[in-house]
Amino acid sequence: MRILLDKFSKSFGAVKVIEDMTLEIKDGEMLALLGPSGCGKSTTLFAICGIHKVTGGRIYFGDRDMTDLPSQERNVGVVFQSYALYPHMNVAENIAFPLRIRNLPGAEIKRLVDEMADLVHIGNLLDRRPAELSGGQQQRVALARALVRRPNVLLLDEPLANLDAKLRLEMRSEIRRIQLETGITAILVTHDQVEAMSMCDRIAIMNAGQIIQIATPKEMYRNPRTTFVAGFLGNPPIAFVEAEARDGMLAVKNADIRLPVPPDAVTPPDGTPVIIGIRPENLGPEGDAIIRGRVSFIETQGRENLYDIKLENGSVLRSIQRVRDDISLDDEVEWRVRSDRLFVFAENGERL
Amino acid sequence: MTGHLKTWPIILALSILSAPLVLMYAYLFIDTVTNSPPGSFIPNEFTLEHWAFLWHTPPGRPSIWRVTFNSLLFAASTSLLVIVVSSMAGYVLSRLNVPARGFFLAGVMVLHAFPAITLIVAIFLVLQMIGLYNTLIGVILVKAAIDMPLGIWLMKGFYDTVPWEIEMAGIQDGASRFTVWRKLVLPQVKPGIFALWLFAFLLGWSEFILPQVLAPSGDVQVLSVYLASLIADDNNFDMALFKSVGLFYIAPVLILFFVFQNYLMNIYGGGSKG
Ligand SMILES: Nc1ncnc2c1ncn2[C@@H]1O[C@H](COP(=O)(O)OP(=O)(O)OP(=O)(O)O)[C@@H](O)[C@H]1O
Ligand SMILES: [Mg+2]
């Protein structure tokens, strides 16, 4: 079901957390709300499911105005970060709880619970208490409980934050599989860009209560609208250097480096200060513009090495390349960038 | 082996120190089923005459069974009232955004700090005015009201430990606030409620002043008042009878403790399990 937040605002007393946010999530889509801690992701989620009353604006599910409906009538499935399983009930009872509340007949409940347990692969755990489950299993139970009553929307608040690295990888694809199989509209709150990029159809990136950009992961990675977005996506992260427009080129400040303006950017007038963003994978042996510097740090990542190179002006760029043995610490290197992959931002962080 | 060697002096020391206590309790019991010659502590005959109060009601006194029943009713009713009200009020104070919550919390604490005895004259007058003087209902209400502040605070503490998400999950699952409390939150604090019930029951069982002042006579006497009336009776003062009734009075407390001691230790040691 389509969800629309129309000029939604939320404040706690005098503290304005969200102001005039408009956001549409398409039917059957999985959208990531990505942003740093405290930017208002959970607040947005809780407004959608009705835990928080909105201060302004409207919330629609489909064409239906949900703004003033209590949580119980919104039919939203929520998976909390701590899973919030009911400790005194076993797995089957946990999953059945939303159905019991709706007074469904016992046989029907049993059928739905079994069906859901199969979907999330916990059919053999139905008699256990939550305390007897691993983190990943609890996560599956929480998903099953949220989905069993066929909610309009599924909300996930940092569902993977409490899992260890390996399980996180596994549950990432599991959650996506379950979402695709059920075709439910879902919102995933996370501050992990990898989660957002790998699990979701689109990403809405938030900062300080505002949505900065909404796009598909690929589009957002290729085409960040601000330095904030560019800096948030990508691991290892993008590096920025300050520069100035000069004779139709971009001259890096206090360094003898001149880079061409990428074809998709407007050439700024001479003397305009700009910020250039260079992703680590675009700096290396190949490219059309030369960058000179000294290797200041090498991090081995197994298949690849991450090199920090220090320019003469002191700023540091990052390059990720296949492991090579011909480079060691403190070597002077002359590497290249592909100018069509550069990002140029104005001083205020907006992309040119 | 070395462990035993190290612990036996401690055990010995403790035994010696607690011997007088054990002896006292043992003697209390022995004394109720024996007679001793005058001037001696060593009993010389076995007798059940001191327990005769169980089947024979002395003239001018209420039947022991009536009094026991009253005590039971008194303790059960006050403890029930306390847990019912505390489990609800504690939840409200812990979770709901009621107006003047801070004021209520502080107020409840002040009420608890207030020595009940200072209120007794006023309570006496009030009960007399509304016709509940010398009734069990009156004294039950008063006792429950006095125990309630502590109960409410205890329950609030137990509720505070229940994760907030569990309730929100319940609301999302479509349950009303009341159902959430009843089906999801209450089970989490069950051990707490049980402990509070036991506590309130024992407080009610051992309460003396309130029934003594507010429900002193005849059919509404409770065990503690009955016991006190035995010493107060100068005409036929019977030490052995007093001891027997005393033993009879503490027996339920001991039984309750032995039955539930493991359970209680669990609550404070390991939290709720299962
Ligand atoms: N009940 C509240 N009262 C006052 N301020 C609040 C309340 N809840 C949240 N806030 C504030 O709103 C802002 C956004 O909070 P929110 O929980 O939505 O952040 P978040 O993006 O989910 O962060 P995180 O990733 O750490 O969970 C924070 O600055 C927080 O201090
Ligand atoms: Mg949050």
Side-chain angles (χ1 to χ4, degrees):
Chain A
M1 191 172 284
R2 178 193 75 132
I3 307 169
L4 176 65
L5 301 184
D6 186 18
K7 297 218 178 70
F8 145 66
S9 312
K10 173 72 197 172
S11 34
F12 294 103
V15 189
K16 286 191 175 137
V17 178
I18 312 268
E19 259 192 287
D20 282 349
M21 177 198 281
T22 298
L23 174 65
E24 188 182 352
I25 299 117
K26 296 185 198 124
D27 186 27
E29 179 183 46
M30 180 142 173
L31 179 104
L33 268 186
L34 178 65
S37 191
C39 71
K41 305 180 297 286
S42 301
T43 307
T44 309
L45 212 66
F46 291 155
I48 294 174
C49 65
I51 292 177
H52 287 339
K53 282 208 171 64
V54 304
T55 331
R58 307 259 101 199
I59 296 174
Y60 299 93
F61 290 1
D63 293 322
R64 196 150 168 233
D65 188 343
M66 293 298 206
T67 320
D68 300 315
L69 246 53
S71 289
Q72 288 92 337
E73 288 167 42
R74 294 193 191 190
N75 196 18
V76 176
V78 184
V79 175
F80 292 87
Q81 184 175 335
S82 58
Y83 315 137
L85 299 179
Y86 310 133
H88 58 293
M89 301 183 185
N90 67 23
V91 169
E93 289 162 346
N94 260 282
I95 302 176
F97 184 77
L99 307 174
R100 288 251 143 73
I101 293 295
R102 282 167 180 70
N103 285 322
L104 259 60
E108 175 81 355
I109 292 183
K110 179 149 179 10
R111 191 179 63 76
L112 288 171
V113 168
D114 286 345
E115 190 183 305
M116 200 43 72
D118 280 346
L119 177 72
V120 302
H121 301 328
I122 48 166
N124 53 337
L125 304 174
L126 288 176
D127 297 328
R128 300 226 198 142
R129 292 282 173 95
E132 300 158 356
L133 299 177
S134 74
Q137 291 166 337
Q138 292 186 27
Q139 172 75 267
R140 289 169 191 267
V141 177
L143 263 172
R145 189 184 61 190
L147 288 171
V148 74
R149 64 200 138 98
R150 309 245 168 264
N152 294 325
V153 195
L154 176 66
L155 305 180
L156 305 138
D157 191 1
E158 312 214 10
L160 305 178
N162 286 345
L163 300 179
D164 65 43
K166 191 160 162 287
L167 255 181
R168 199 176 297 179
L169 216 65
E170 178 189 325
M171 287 313 292
R172 221 154 73 188
S173 46
E174 275 295 279
I175 292 179
R176 178 60 165 167
R177 172 184 69 80
I178 292 161
Q179 188 264 332
L180 287 175
E181 263 176 51
T182 50
I184 192 170
T185 312
I187 302 182
L188 171 86
V189 160
T190 176
H191 52 235
D192 182 347
Q193 47 112 4
V194 183
E195 265 171 39
M197 295 221 276
S198 58
M199 293 170 72
C200 294
D201 297 305
R202 285 196 304 159
I203 298 176
I205 196 160
M206 283 183 72
N207 190 21
Q210 300 240 298
I211 292 191
I212 313 286
Q213 186 174 2
I214 307 183
T216 61
K218 203 160 125 191
E219 167 71 8
M220 190 171 275
Y221 190 76
R222 289 238 184 108
N223 223 343
R225 191 173 291 162
T226 66
T227 47
F228 176 80
V229 177
F232 216 90
L233 295 188
N235 184 28
I238 195 169
F240 297 106
V241 286
E242 288 178 15
E244 200 180 82
R246 204 179 295 153
D247 312 328
M249 298 281 274
L250 305 170
V252 175
K253 279 203 179 128
N254 306 322
D256 183 22
I257 297 173
R258 293 177 144 243
L259 300 171
V261 179
D264 56 355
V266 276
T267 311
D270 272 12
T272 321
V274 296
I275 298 167
I276 303 176
I278 302 174
R279 289 214 189 271
E281 64 270 28
N282 297 329
L283 175 60
E286 285 148 47
D288 54 347
I290 294 174
I291 285 186
R292 258 175 245 99
R294 195 170 47 75
V295 176
S296 63
F297 184 71
I298 302 178
E299 184 185 302
T300 312
Q301 295 192 338
R303 193 156 27 94
E304 285 148 340
N305 272 0
L306 177 67
Y307 302 96
D308 281 5
I309 69 169
K310 204 168 198 164
L311 309 184
E312 10 172 349
N313 66 359
S315 29
V316 174
L317 293 182
R318 273 180 286 263
S319 164
I320 191 155
Q321 302 177 22
R322 228 176 263 171
V323 173
R324 48 196 282 188
D325 299 323
D326 56 332
I327 304 234
S328 48
L329 212 58
D330 284 334
D331 281 0
E332 294 287 338
V333 292
E334 192 179 288
W335 277 340
R336 290 149 194 279
V337 286
R338 288 181 55 174
S339 59
D340 58 335
R341 296 279 172 84
L342 292 180
F343 303 131
V344 186
F345 303 94
E347 225 180 357
N348 64 6
E350 294 284 333
R351 183 89 175 276
L352 286 179
Chain B
M1 208 45 213
T2 47
H4 283 279
L5 286 177
K6 269 184 197 151
T7 46
W8 77 259
I10 300 176
I11 292 176
L12 187 70
L14 285 177
S15 307
I16 292 172
L17 280 176
S18 51
L21 266 176
V22 175
L23 276 178
M24 265 163 55
Y25 279 112
Y27 194 71
L28 172 65
F29 174 70
I30 292 167
D31 216 26
T32 62
V33 289
T34 54
N35 276 331
S36 310
S40 163
F41 290 119
I42 313 296
N44 62 352
E45 63 168 345
F46 174 80
T47 171
L48 284 178
E49 71 185 60
H50 307 309
W51 289 92
F53 68 92
L54 289 181
W55 51 87
H56 171 77
T57 305
R61 285 193 202 288
S63 139
I64 183 75
W65 296 112
R66 174 80 215 205
V67 173
T68 309
F69 174 76
N70 284 347
S71 251
L72 214 58
L73 189 67
F74 177 70
S77 311
T78 52
S79 55
L80 197 70
L81 264 176
V82 166
I83 61 168
V84 167
V85 174
S86 303
S87 62
M88 293 188 188
Y91 180 74
V92 170
L93 287 177
S94 165
R95 286 301 155 86
L96 303 187
N97 216 346
V98 285
R101 187 165 157 274
F103 171 78
F104 273 113
L105 274 176
V108 162
M109 195 48 137
V110 169
L111 277 183
H112 177 59
F114 227 81
I117 196 74
T118 57
L119 299 173
I120 204 135
V121 175
I123 292 174
F124 172 82
L125 291 176
V126 169
L127 284 191
Q128 202 159 43
M129 208 174 323
I130 57 179
L132 289 180
Y133 173 69
N134 221 355
T135 62
L136 264 181
I137 295 191
V139 72
I140 284 170
L141 287 177
V142 171
K143 175 66 178 160
I146 285 170
D147 284 354
M148 241 168 239
L150 180 68
I152 292 173
W153 262 89
L154 276 176
M155 286 316 299
K156 177 190 173 292
F158 282 113
Y159 283 124
D160 284 346
T161 65
V162 177
W164 168 89
E165 276 98 348
I166 286 188
E167 283 177 67
M168 284 309 139
I171 300 253
Q172 295 309 321
D173 284 345
S176 67
R177 201 73 207 225
F178 183 78
T179 310
V180 165
W181 172 74
R182 180 60 205 78
K183 290 261 173 68
L184 300 180
V185 180
L186 215 50
Q188 319 289 324
V189 298
K190 227 166 50 189
I193 291 184
F194 176 76
L196 178 61
W197 171 78
L198 194 62
F199 196 63
F201 185 89
L202 293 181
L203 275 180
W205 186 261
S206 58
E207 178 64 44
F208 167 62
I209 290 290
L210 289 175
Q212 167 77 2
V213 177
L214 304 175
S217 62
D219 281 352
V220 294
Q221 258 187 13
V222 295
L223 263 173
S224 56
V225 178
Y226 180 87
L227 188 63
S229 70
L230 290 182
I231 343 179
D233 192 347
D234 292 333
N235 299 329
N236 34 21
F237 182 71
D238 183 346
M239 188 60 120
L241 175 65
F242 181 69
K243 283 183 194 161
S244 306
V245 175
L247 205 60
F248 180 78
Y249 179 44
I250 59 169
V253 177
L254 293 179
I255 291 170
L256 269 182
F257 183 76
F258 280 122
V259 170
F260 291 121
Q261 65 170 342
N262 283 335
Y263 190 82
L264 283 176
M265 290 308 147
N266 258 339
I267 295 174
Y268 295 112
S272 60
K273 290 235 179 67

